[in-house]
Amino acid sequence: MARRKRLSPITGPAEDTGPVPPGPIPAIARPPVAEIAAASASQAALEQLADEVAVARREGRMVMSLPLEVIEAGHLLRDRMHHDAEDMAALKASLAARGQQTPIEVTDLGQGRFGLISGARRLAALSELAAETGEPRFGKVLCLLRSPEGAAEAYLAMVEENEIRTDLSFYERGRLVAEAVRMGLFADPAAAVRGLFGNAPPARRSKILSFVALHRALGTVLRFPTAIPEKLGLAIVAGLKADPKLADRLGAALAKAKPADAEAERRLIERALRKAPAAAAPRGREVAPGIRLEARKGRLVLSGAGVGPELAEALEAFLAARDPLE
C-alpha cells in the first residue's frame, strides 16, 4: 500500500519585522459580528433581569425601601383602634437598636403613592423615631408590595397580620365587621365575619357577631370600648336584647359621667346592667356562628344574626334536592 504524503504549509522566507516592543502583546481584535452578538446577549440578559425584578416586585417577593411620606397610613380603616404605649416604646427601642426586621405591606396607589395594608405599628414607630431623632435611617420603611384583588382581600390581609402578631380585642373585631358591611364590602355581618375571620373557631365568630351589635348600639358613646372584657360585652348584648331602651339609658349615663378611665366606665356599665331586666336565655343550640336551631316535633326554628335570605335560599335548595324517603 502506498504511503500518504504529509502536506506541509507553503512557507516563504520569514519577514524581518524587527525586535518585539516591550509590554503586553496586543489582543487580537474580535470580528464585528462577534462584538454585535456579545452586545446583544448582554442586553438580553439585562432585559431578562429587569423583567424578573419587576415580577418579583409585583408579587411581593422583593423588599423595597420607601420614604415614609409616600405611605398612606389611612388607606384602610384600621382594625387596631389605638397602640399600647408600653408596646410602642418597646417597638421603638427595638427599631433603634436593630433596625426594621419585618417589612410592612403596601399596595400601589399610583403616582408614587402607596397604601398601607398591614404594619401600622411599625410605620407609626418609625414616624415617631424620625420626628424625635431626625436621623435619616428612620425616614424610610421596608415594604413588600401586595396587589389585593379588592378591598375585602386587603382587609383580610390586615386582619390576618394582626391576628398573628397582636391579638385584637373582640370590640375591635366587631367594629371592623360593622364598618366593612357599612362600606358595602360584605352583604351582612355574618358574611363579613366569615370573610374576615374564616379561620376562627365557630364560637369565636359568634362572639364577634355579638360585638358587632355592641358597636352599633354604643360605639359612639363608649370612651374605652377596647377595654370591655368578653364576658361583660356579651352581657351588654344580652341586656340590649332584653331591654330595647337600655342603649339610650347607657348612652345618657356615659355622656353625663364622662368616665376618666376604662375601670370607671366598666363599673358604670355593670351598675346599669344590674338595674336592667334579666335577659331571657336563648332558645335552641348554636349550630353555626349567629345561627341557633330549635327543633321540636313538627317544628323547626332558626334564629340569630346569621339567618337571612341567603340562608333561606340555601335551605330551600337543600330541601328541594333531598329525597323525602331518606
Side-chain angles (χ1 to χ4, degrees), residues 258-276:
K258 296 186 173 116
D261 53 39
E263 179 64 21
E265 184 171 78
R266 183 183 62 80
R267 289 197 301 268
L268 187 153
I269 293 172
E270 288 175 342
R271 286 198 300 271
L273 288 179
R274 285 195 293 268
K275 298 177 181 178

Side-chain angles (χ1 to χ4, degrees), residues 92 125-135 138:
K92 288 166 64 177
L126 284 170
S127 299
E128 291 182 12
L129 285 169
E132 292 168 3
T133 67
E135 295 184 29
F138 298 127

Side-chain angles (χ1 to χ4, degrees), residues 74-159:
H75 171 59
L76 299 178
L77 171 79
R78 308 316 303 179
D79 48 2
R80 179 70 64 185
M81 295 183 66
H82 62 80
H83 303 303
D84 181 81
E86 292 185 3
D87 289 345
M88 283 295 288
L91 178 57
K92 288 166 64 177
S94 174
L95 290 169
R98 302 173 60 238
Q100 184 185 352
Q101 301 297 306
T102 305
I104 67 173
E105 294 182 340
V106 298
T107 186
D108 193 344
L109 301 178
Q111 298 182 343
R113 308 295 297 176
F114 295 84
L116 178 66
I117 292 180
S118 64
R121 293 173 67 251
R122 275 160 281 161
L123 182 64
L126 284 170
S127 299
E128 291 182 12
L129 285 169
E132 292 168 3
T133 67
E135 295 184 29
R137 66 185 179 119
F138 298 127
K140 291 191 173 183
V141 58
L142 299 178
C143 310
L144 289 174
L145 185 65
R146 300 299 187 208
S147 300
E149 294 181 359
E153 186 178 333
Y155 274 97
L156 176 59
M158 175 182 63
V159 168

Side-chain angles (χ1 to χ4, degrees), residues 68 133 154 202 207 231 270 318 326:
L68 292 177
T133 67
K207 292 172 184 176
K231 185 176 180 180
E270 288 175 342
F318 167 75
E326 289 181 354

